[in-house]
Amino acid sequence: MSEQLLSSRNLAFELYEVLDAEALTARPRFAEHNRETFDAALGTARSLAEKYFAPHNRKGDEHEPRYVDGRAELIAEVKPAVQAFLDAGLLNANRDFDVGGMQLPSLVSQACFAHFQAANAGTTAYPFLTMGAANLIESFGDETQKRLFLQPMIDGRFFGTMALTEPHAGSSLADIRTRAEPVGDGSYRLKGNKIFISAGDHELSENIVHMVLAKLPDAPAGVKGISLFIVPKYRVDADGRLGARNDVTLAGLFHKMGWRGTTSTALNFGDNGQCIGYLVGQPHQGLAYMFQMMNEARIGVGMGAVMLGYAGYLYSLDYARQRPQGRQVDNKDPHSPPVPIIEHADVRRMLLMQKAYVEGAFDLGLYAARLFDDTHTAPDATTREQAQQLLDLLTPIVKSWPSAFCLKANELAIQILGGHGYTRDYPVEQYYRDNRLNPIHEGTEGIQSLDLLGRKLAQNGGAGLKHLIRLIAATAERASHHPNLDALRQPLEQLVNRLQAATLALLGDLAQGKAAAALANSALYLKVFGHCVIGWRWLEQAIHAELGLLKEVEADRDFYQGKLQAARYFLIWEVPGCHTELALLEARDDTCLGMHEGWF
Amino acid sequence: MSEQLLSSRNLAFELYEVLDAEALTARPRFAEHNRETFDAALGTARSLAEKYFAPHNRKGDEHEPRYVDGRAELIAEVKPAVQAFLDAGLLNANRDFDVGGMQLPSLVSQACFAHFQAANAGTTAYPFLTMGAANLIESFGDETQKRLFLQPMIDGRFFGTMALTEPHAGSSLADIRTRAEPVGDGSYRLKGNKIFISAGDHELSENIVHMVLAKLPDAPAGVKGISLFIVPKYRVDADGRLGARNDVTLAGLFHKMGWRGTTSTALNFGDNGQCIGYLVGQPHQGLAYMFQMMNEARIGVGMGAVMLGYAGYLYSLDYARQRPQGRQVDNKDPHSPPVPIIEHADVRRMLLMQKAYVEGAFDLGLYAARLFDDTHTAPDATTREQAQQLLDLLTPIVKSWPSAFCLKANELAIQILGGHGYTRDYPVEQYYRDNRLNPIHEGTEGIQSLDLLGRKLAQNGGAGLKHLIRLIAATAERASHHPNLDALRQPLEQLVNRLQAATLALLGDLAQGKAAAALANSALYLKVFGHCVIGWRWLEQAIHAELGLLKEVEADRDFYQGKLQAARYFLIWEVPGCHTELALLEARDDTCLGMHEGWF
């Protein structure tokens, strides 16, 4: 097997041809960097992922964390893997040089992280959640909180979690019941129960910093009454010394379909009335903080879905090249030798679908990371603002589209391996089981669809959407200079035009208070919008493939031809199907909305 | 939870409204039967499935068979469950009264069996494979073989397997290497290795009868050189007494993603040169025998896929009714109580999709069983012949469509339960894992698509297809008398007309030897043809729902309205999308076929 995690040629194509990572080095923040430093970081990530993460991916699945004497026990391989990640400085890849960070663009750090996501979703979650918790404190915590909790996370001594979900409320955070009572000394006593807390207990770090959503006594009802608290597993004194256990109890572990290497916990806060926590930022602003942070986390979740899809694609591709079986349909000679199954048209279809899904989504995820860089470091304010608006709009797609379609890719990888793919002797069934979580956590597909149609589209007077449509038009214009791309450009333009009109009509309904009917088919809208975005990204890739072919480098010819064929697959096989869904959206079809509960 | 396995109201609708099971009792073979005897058998099946099969479904998943001292050890619950099935006479539900059978129509026996398939896919496989093996010997064995091997299977003393697949050949049976040398006394010595043999070892029965495909020394190359052998685990003397172990070795067990209750084995035949087997029927006819038997088995596999989908649908429906979470999108009052999630439009969509998939496929599976009855017992020869032609044509759909779309239903059931659905505390993730096998075994989706487009359509001068199109037209004509059904009938008619034209063009290409191009997109053809068939079956169901509503039985009103809404979903949301695929088929689009191996 040549490459297990991701194609380095494709990564170079994305970074240095499509997304022009080197242009970022012109910005002051990244002035110390160049292609060589980027590649060095990527090479480190690749080799650590291969050496420390991939080898125990199956073992972590087979030996999920166990509940022993009130704590979660992991397999021994997790700790050295995470330590290698920390030692390489990858936890702080984006942070400033002066706090020990690598000051890399998000584009490059996401690409680094992608290797670990492909190698071992379960183990990767521990640093991932720590980064998310650290970013929250960095953005919204006070100086004491940064000293006592953020700095030890940056130093790799404390790990973090996100503690949002409660048993009775699920995704409906408005209804959480965890309470926080002021003690009088500036701290709070928390009481409540949380479930599905990933990495909620382990002994990988000296301490665990839970970022907990809870309600203050005077909280207004609903989402406007949620506050954010730091709740450490072990108390920390004013000098940063670890004290006694805080009143956080591991109530139990969840046993999942996949992603078993990450312990998923039920945590009780304040069973004995002694759970101390610290308010982060202002009262009642917890959900807003969480969502601001979540933009970056959702890119990470989307990329996680991509990378499981990518690993499955590469594995099934390699298998299809190696495995001889059967003959081509027009060969009737039973004496002829069997051919590798990649010669069968239907196997090629399943590989090309996977390629279109995973490389399309990979491009989108990195594009989003590039936008994130622009929100922080673009030289002019307009670019920064536009990048933020576009990133806000695209976030539900970046999270949901890979979760749906790279999961589908994993299903196809199993199919290519056939009976073997269904056994645990091959990795593809685990990729599917691991990836099945992604359409659920960090906001289900349904929630993403409501976020897109009910919230993001209309934000800032629709500025994000207008910007997106301008960008797609610009891509189509550039594509029009390549006659080979006419057949690819046209279906995208047809889709965008119709989607734009349907969107305006739906937003009009929403503005008139017809929310139930306008949002009823939000799942269809999410799919069409996602296909439009991925279709755009494939047209971008196709343009760069055409440009690449013009360079006439023989060694690259196959690579660019493959890109064009995958773009062709997506734009000709997948994009036109969206018109069926658009017709339902245009008609405000009420088949699902009108299905009475009693009729089931 | 009201009903876990299948809806008894829907079953009655299928049997006594749509498929008119009672009409079968006018035929001599079923003259002893009536609706009461049918319902008694169904009630027995239901209660045994609930009592003996469902309770250990999860345990069988958690404790898969273990390899101990050269044999496979199962959990203790399997044996009493299978024994209860045997004791109730269900293994011989279709067989003649005079051999101890129940002489039930296949329509009713498939419906009986469906309860077990919903309750516990893993345990159900043991009797399922035994029935398949017994049917093979009944159809093609000689009198001695029937006495020594079939009768003990009918008596429940011997179980059976199908031993086809070999490690190097997979689905390509033309390339099997297992050899059978004549001993001189009429028996044969076999030598070879088989994999993925379900139920290949256990101690549920006194003996195991392996139905083995192998090649005689003078066999022509390819599929025309395959013969069928009986190879018992224990030798049997001329008086039927069990002797020593035959030279069949359990080489190992496969550890699967799901369906873990069924042991999947690697078997070595003749490691010590002492594996005795008996030729069934004529030399070199093995594959034809296997395929003749497989029609019935493939209905069974398709129904198995349906029933896993059905169980997941019912579970997620019940969950959605019970689970309060969130508020409707037009309710901005955070003080209002949460609503059951079935009130959310997107949850209703996911339930309605499941209903459309599982009840559509359930109808098709039972319709196929009804056709099977017609092939044997229809009064006139023309009807019998037409039924056989239609069943042959539909078999790839009956097998593959539920495998694809009821698997999708299981994916949706997980999504409705959210984080809970992803844990092993709820059954829906297991349903998905179990069902994931169905698109692979007994002929992959790819193989079904080639069987349909490359073989079945043109059989008997296309008589099956012509008959099907007449039947669809007749249904559409009857639907035209119900103005409510106009919106449902029209998309079906549009699809059928275009599909018919595309089919003729593809068959024309095949007749001209353009197989590679004509078959390249067979997966698309399979999907469109399947949607056409299921759309037809939904229109049939809709007509019977309209007729039902005319009876003005208040208690039935909701049921029929639900049927109409599910038909509406399928015909308005799903069927029109097929035109995208038809356009690709019409254009002989070569995007996948033209993707070179080196471009990946």
Side-chain angles (χ1 to χ4, degrees):
Chain A
M1 170 151 316
S2 42
E3 296 192 294
Q4 290 178 34
L5 306 178
L6 58 84
S7 151
S8 50
R9 179 65 189 89
N10 188 41
L11 179 59
F13 173 71
E14 287 296 344
L15 293 181
Y16 304 121
E17 296 173 64
V18 180
L19 298 171
D20 198 6
E22 287 178 276
L24 292 169
T25 63
R27 298 181 184 173
R29 182 170 178 79
F30 307 124
E32 308 282 311
H33 283 292
N34 51 48
R35 183 162 174 171
E36 284 66 39
T37 64
F38 292 166
D39 285 345
L42 293 163
T44 299
R46 177 184 205 101
S47 70
L48 293 181
E50 287 177 351
K51 182 169 177 190
Y52 290 101
F53 282 67
H56 70 281
N57 189 43
R58 175 59 75 175
K59 185 173 177 186
D61 180 67
E62 287 174 349
H63 302 275
E64 62 185 344
R66 296 188 312 137
Y67 181 92
V68 181
D69 299 336
R71 58 195 174 74
E73 256 189 25
L74 316 185
I75 59 170
E77 287 84 349
V78 178
K79 193 169 174 120
V82 174
Q83 194 60 47
F85 182 92
L86 296 172
D87 291 347
L90 289 165
L91 192 79
N92 305 304
N94 297 126
R95 286 209 161 70
D96 296 357
F97 289 128
D98 60 18
V99 296
M102 296 166 78
Q103 215 162 306
L104 280 169
S106 181
L107 173 59
V108 178
S109 66
Q110 286 284 357
C112 287
F113 199 65
H115 294 84
F116 299 94
Q117 294 177 303
N120 190 322
T123 296
T124 303
Y126 299 98
F128 180 73
L129 287 159
T130 301
M131 286 190 272
N135 290 348
L136 261 179
I137 301 176
E138 183 163 45
S139 297
F140 307 109
D142 62 28
E143 289 312 309
T144 305
Q145 290 166 349
K146 288 182 186 173
R147 180 170 57 82
L148 296 180
F149 300 106
L150 173 61
Q151 191 57 48
M153 292 167 95
I154 291 175
D155 297 341
R157 294 172 45 225
F158 291 7
F159 281 12
T161 79
M162 303 284 156
L164 286 69
T165 306
E166 300 187 8
H168 67 288
S171 302
S172 182
L173 295 173
D175 296 307
I176 61 167
R177 291 181 191 149
T178 297
R179 298 280 151 185
E181 300 269 350
V183 174
D185 63 354
S187 71
Y188 292 79
R189 278 216 176 77
L190 278 84
K191 187 159 180 56
N193 307 314
K194 300 281 182 180
I195 57 171
F196 301 147
I197 309 308
S198 293
D201 195 59
H202 54 74
E203 302 195 340
L204 300 172
S205 56
E206 295 173 27
N207 204 354
I208 301 176
V209 180
H210 303 292
M211 305 303 296
V212 181
L213 293 183
K215 290 188 171 179
L216 293 166
D218 62 344
V223 292
K224 291 176 181 165
I226 298 172
S227 302
L228 178 64
F229 296 85
I230 290 170
V231 179
K233 175 179 175 182
Y234 291 98
R235 294 187 187 176
V236 177
D237 74 13
D239 297 322
R241 283 185 296 249
L242 291 188
R245 275 291 292 262
N246 200 359
D247 185 6
V248 180
T249 320
L250 179 63
L253 303 184
F254 291 93
H255 302 286
K256 305 190 293 298
M257 176 187 191
W259 211 303
R260 296 190 189 178
T262 304
T263 185
S264 179
T265 62
L267 296 179
N268 292 353
F269 295 90
D271 271 357
N272 306 305
Q274 299 298 327
C275 177
I276 296 298
Y278 308 96
L279 179 68
V280 177
Q282 298 301 308
H284 315 321
Q285 296 300 311
L287 204 63
Y289 298 158
M290 202 56 102
F291 272 107
Q292 193 164 327
M293 183 278 307
M294 233 180 244
N295 266 354
E296 203 177 353
R298 285 183 174 168
I299 299 175
V301 171
M303 281 296 285
V306 174
M307 297 318 299
L308 285 166
Y310 212 139
Y313 163 58
L314 292 179
Y315 196 93
S316 64
L317 173 60
D318 195 66
Y319 183 90
R321 284 178 165 146
Q322 309 288 336
R323 167 76 179 178
Q325 190 175 307
R327 284 155 199 84
Q328 277 149 328
V329 290
D330 48 6
N331 175 357
K332 303 293 180 200
D333 176 11
H335 294 284
S336 58
V339 296
I341 60 171
I342 200 169
E343 297 298 323
H344 301 310
D346 197 52
V347 172
R348 271 191 241 175
R349 176 186 65 89
M350 293 190 282
L351 289 169
L352 189 56
M353 276 178 82
Q354 288 183 74
K355 181 178 170 77
Y357 291 163
V358 304
E359 293 185 3
F362 185 68
D363 173 277
L364 177 64
L366 292 183
Y367 177 77
R370 181 74 158 79
L371 279 180
F372 186 78
D373 287 321
D374 284 346
T375 67
H376 287 62
T377 63
D380 65 295
T382 307
T383 305
R384 291 197 296 273
E385 189 185 20
Q386 284 184 337
Q388 187 64 56
Q389 289 165 347
L390 185 56
L391 183 60
D392 285 345
L393 177 67
L394 290 180
T395 296
I397 302 299
V398 174
K399 195 273 171 185
S400 70
W401 200 91
S403 297
F405 289 92
C406 296
L407 181 67
K408 178 72 188 168
N410 285 144
E411 197 180 302
L412 294 168
I414 296 172
Q415 193 69 16
I416 288 174
L417 272 73
H420 295 290
Y422 192 66
T423 70
R424 278 133 52 209
D425 294 330
Y426 293 84
V428 288
E429 65 87 30
Q430 185 186 345
Y431 295 147
Y432 181 89
R433 287 188 291 105
D434 288 353
N435 219 352
R436 185 64 190 84
L437 181 57
N438 283 316
I440 296 172
H441 70 168
E442 296 281 342
T444 63
E445 301 290 282
I447 285 172
Q448 303 299 330
S449 73
L450 292 175
D451 182 42
L452 175 66
L453 184 54
R455 189 180 308 146
K456 293 291 177 63
L457 281 170
Q459 263 180 4
N460 305 306
L465 179 64
K466 285 175 200 154
H467 185 49
L468 175 64
I469 286 172
R470 276 195 302 273
L471 290 173
I472 296 177
T475 301
E477 199 281 324
R478 282 185 292 123
S480 70
H481 301 296
H482 302 272
N484 281 340
L485 301 184
D486 273 349
L488 278 58
R489 178 176 55 80
Q490 286 162 7
L492 180 65
E493 288 182 320
Q494 285 162 12
L495 181 65
V496 174
N497 291 339
R498 191 168 173 187
L499 175 60
Q500 192 174 4
T503 301
L504 291 177
L506 286 164
L507 291 178
D509 282 8
L510 283 169
Q512 290 170 45
K514 301 180 195 164
L519 296 176
N521 299 330
S522 59
L524 299 184
Y525 189 87
L526 184 73
K527 189 242 163 169
V528 174
F529 197 94
H531 264 49
C532 185
V533 169
I534 297 287
W536 164 51
R537 298 309 308 164
W538 265 118
L539 190 59
E540 270 292 329
Q541 291 194 58
I543 292 170
H544 287 280
E546 284 281 325
L547 295 174
L549 283 171
L550 291 176
K551 293 183 213 148
E552 298 196 345
V553 178
E554 190 53 37
D556 273 343
R557 177 165 298 279
D558 279 355
F559 174 78
Y560 291 126
Q561 290 288 4
K563 280 289 177 191
L564 288 171
Q565 201 77 354
R568 185 178 172 81
Y569 169 81
F570 196 79
L571 287 154
I572 293 182
W573 280 52
E574 295 261 342
V575 161
C578 294
H579 289 279
T580 308
E581 284 125 1
L582 273 171
L584 293 165
L585 284 162
E586 287 164 353
R588 309 286 184 282
D589 184 280
D590 68 349
T591 303
C592 297
L593 189 65
M595 178 73 184
H596 296 191
E597 180 269 337
W599 295 356
F600 281 104
Chain B
M1 174 153 310
S2 42
E3 297 191 293
Q4 290 177 36
L5 306 179
L6 59 85
S7 152
S8 50
R9 179 67 190 87
N10 187 42
L11 179 58
F13 174 71
E14 287 296 342
L15 293 182
Y16 304 121
E17 297 172 64
V18 180
L19 298 172
D20 197 6
E22 287 179 276
L24 292 169
T25 63
R27 300 181 184 175
R29 180 168 178 82
F30 308 124
E32 306 282 309
H33 283 293
N34 52 47
R35 180 161 175 172
E36 285 66 40
T37 63
F38 291 166
D39 284 345
L42 292 163
T44 299
R46 177 184 206 98
S47 70
L48 294 181
E50 287 176 351
K51 184 171 176 187
Y52 291 101
F53 282 68
H56 71 281
N57 189 43
R58 175 59 75 176
K59 187 174 177 185
D61 180 67
E62 287 173 349
H63 302 275
E64 62 186 341
R66 296 188 313 137
Y67 181 91
V68 180
D69 299 334
R71 57 195 176 74
E73 255 188 28
L74 317 184
I75 59 169
E77 288 83 349
V78 177
K79 192 168 174 120
V82 174
Q83 195 60 48
F85 182 91
L86 296 173
D87 291 346
L90 289 165
L91 191 81
N92 305 304
N94 297 125
R95 287 208 159 68
D96 296 359
F97 289 128
D98 60 18
V99 297
M102 299 166 76
Q103 214 162 307
L104 280 168
S106 181
L107 172 59
V108 177
S109 67
Q110 285 284 358
C112 287
F113 199 66
H115 294 86
F116 299 95
Q117 294 177 304
N120 191 323
T123 295
T124 302
Y126 299 98
F128 180 74
L129 287 159
T130 302
M131 289 189 271
N135 291 348
L136 261 180
I137 300 176
E138 182 161 44
S139 297
F140 307 108
D142 63 27
E143 288 313 309
T144 305
Q145 290 167 347
K146 288 181 186 173
R147 179 170 57 82
L148 295 180
F149 299 106
L150 172 61
Q151 191 58 49
M153 291 166 95
I154 291 174
D155 297 341
R157 293 171 46 224
F158 292 6
F159 281 13
T161 79
M162 304 285 156
L164 287 68
T165 305
E166 301 188 8
H168 66 287
S171 302
S172 182
L173 295 173
D175 295 307
I176 62 167
R177 292 181 192 149
T178 297
R179 299 278 151 187
E181 301 269 350
V183 174
D185 62 353
S187 71
Y188 293 80
R189 278 217 177 78
L190 279 83
K191 186 160 180 57
N193 307 315
K194 299 280 181 180
I195 57 169
F196 301 148
I197 309 309
S198 294
D201 194 60
H202 53 73
E203 303 197 339
L204 301 172
S205 56
E206 295 173 27
N207 203 354
I208 301 176
V209 180
H210 304 292
M211 305 303 295
V212 181
L213 293 184
K215 291 187 170 181
L216 293 167
D218 62 344
V223 292
K224 290 175 182 166
I226 299 172
S227 302
L228 177 65
F229 296 84
I230 290 171
V231 179
K233 175 178 175 181
Y234 292 97
R235 294 186 186 175
V236 178
D237 74 12
D239 296 322
R241 281 184 298 247
L242 290 188
R245 275 290 293 262
N246 200 359
D247 184 8
V248 180
T249 319
L250 179 63
L253 303 183
F254 290 94
H255 302 287
K256 305 190 294 298
M257 175 188 191
W259 210 303
R260 296 191 189 178
T262 303
T263 185
S264 180
T265 63
L267 296 179
N268 292 353
F269 295 90
D271 272 356
N272 306 305
Q274 299 299 327
C275 178
I276 296 297
Y278 308 96
L279 179 68
V280 177
Q282 298 302 309
H284 315 321
Q285 297 300 310
L287 203 63
Y289 299 157
M290 202 56 102
F291 272 108
Q292 192 164 328
M293 183 279 307
M294 234 180 243
N295 266 354
E296 204 178 353
R298 284 183 174 168
I299 298 175
V301 171
M303 282 295 285
V306 174
M307 297 318 298
L308 286 166
Y310 213 140
Y313 164 57
L314 292 179
Y315 196 94
S316 64
L317 173 59
D318 195 66
Y319 183 90
R321 283 177 165 146
Q322 309 288 335
R323 167 76 178 178
Q325 190 176 306
R327 286 155 197 83
Q328 278 148 326
V329 290
D330 48 6
N331 175 357
K332 301 293 180 199
D333 175 12
H335 295 284
S336 59
V339 297
I341 60 171
I342 199 169
E343 297 298 323
H344 301 310
D346 195 52
V347 172
R348 272 191 241 174
R349 175 186 65 88
M350 292 190 283
L351 289 169
L352 189 56
M353 277 178 81
Q354 287 184 74
K355 181 178 170 75
Y357 291 162
V358 303
E359 293 184 5
F362 185 68
D363 172 277
L364 177 64
L366 292 184
Y367 176 77
R370 181 72 159 80
L371 279 180
F372 185 79
D373 287 321
D374 284 348
T375 66
H376 286 63
T377 63
D380 63 294
T382 307
T383 306
R384 290 197 295 275
E385 188 185 20
Q386 284 184 336
Q388 188 64 56
Q389 289 165 347
L390 185 57
L391 184 60
D392 286 345
L393 178 67
L394 290 180
T395 296
I397 303 298
V398 174
K399 195 274 173 184
S400 70
W401 200 92
S403 295
F405 289 92
C406 297
L407 180 68
K408 177 72 188 168
N410 285 144
E411 196 180 303
L412 293 168
I414 296 172
Q415 192 69 17
I416 288 174
L417 271 74
H420 296 290
Y422 192 66
T423 70
R424 277 133 52 208
D425 294 330
Y426 293 83
V428 288
E429 63 87 32
Q430 187 187 344
Y431 295 146
Y432 180 89
R433 287 187 292 105
D434 287 354
N435 219 352
R436 185 65 190 82
L437 181 58
N438 283 316
I440 297 172
H441 69 168
E442 296 282 341
T444 63
E445 302 290 283
I447 286 172
Q448 301 300 328
S449 73
L450 293 177
D451 183 43
L452 175 66
L453 183 54
R455 188 181 308 145
K456 292 292 176 65
L457 282 170
Q459 264 180 5
N460 305 306
L465 179 65
K466 286 174 199 154
H467 185 48
L468 175 64
I469 286 173
R470 276 195 303 272
L471 289 173
I472 296 177
T475 301
E477 199 282 324
R478 281 186 292 124
S480 71
H481 301 294
H482 303 274
N484 281 342
L485 301 184
D486 273 349
L488 279 57
R489 178 175 54 80
Q490 286 162 7
L492 180 66
E493 289 183 320
Q494 285 162 14
L495 181 64
V496 174
N497 291 339
R498 191 168 173 187
L499 175 61
Q500 193 174 2
T503 302
L504 292 177
L506 286 165
L507 291 178
D509 282 8
L510 284 169
Q512 289 170 46
K514 302 181 194 162
L519 296 175
N521 300 329
S522 59
L524 299 184
Y525 190 87
L526 184 75
K527 189 243 164 167
V528 173
F529 196 94
H531 263 49
C532 185
V533 169
I534 296 287
W536 164 51
R537 297 310 308 164
W538 264 117
L539 190 60
E540 270 292 328
Q541 291 195 57
I543 292 170
H544 287 280
E546 285 281 325
L547 296 173
L549 282 170
L550 291 175
K551 293 184 212 150
E552 298 195 344
V553 178
E554 191 52 36
D556 273 343
R557 177 165 297 279
D558 279 356
F559 174 79
Y560 291 125
Q561 291 287 3
K563 280 289 178 193
L564 289 170
Q565 201 77 354
R568 185 178 172 81
Y569 169 81
F570 195 79
L571 286 153
I572 292 182
W573 280 52
E574 295 262 341
V575 161
C578 294
H579 289 280
T580 308
E581 283 125 1
L582 272 170
L584 293 166
L585 284 162
E586 288 164 354
R588 310 286 184 280
D589 184 280
D590 67 350
T591 303
C592 298
L593 188 66
M595 178 74 184
H596 296 192
E597 180 269 337
W599 294 358
F600 281 105

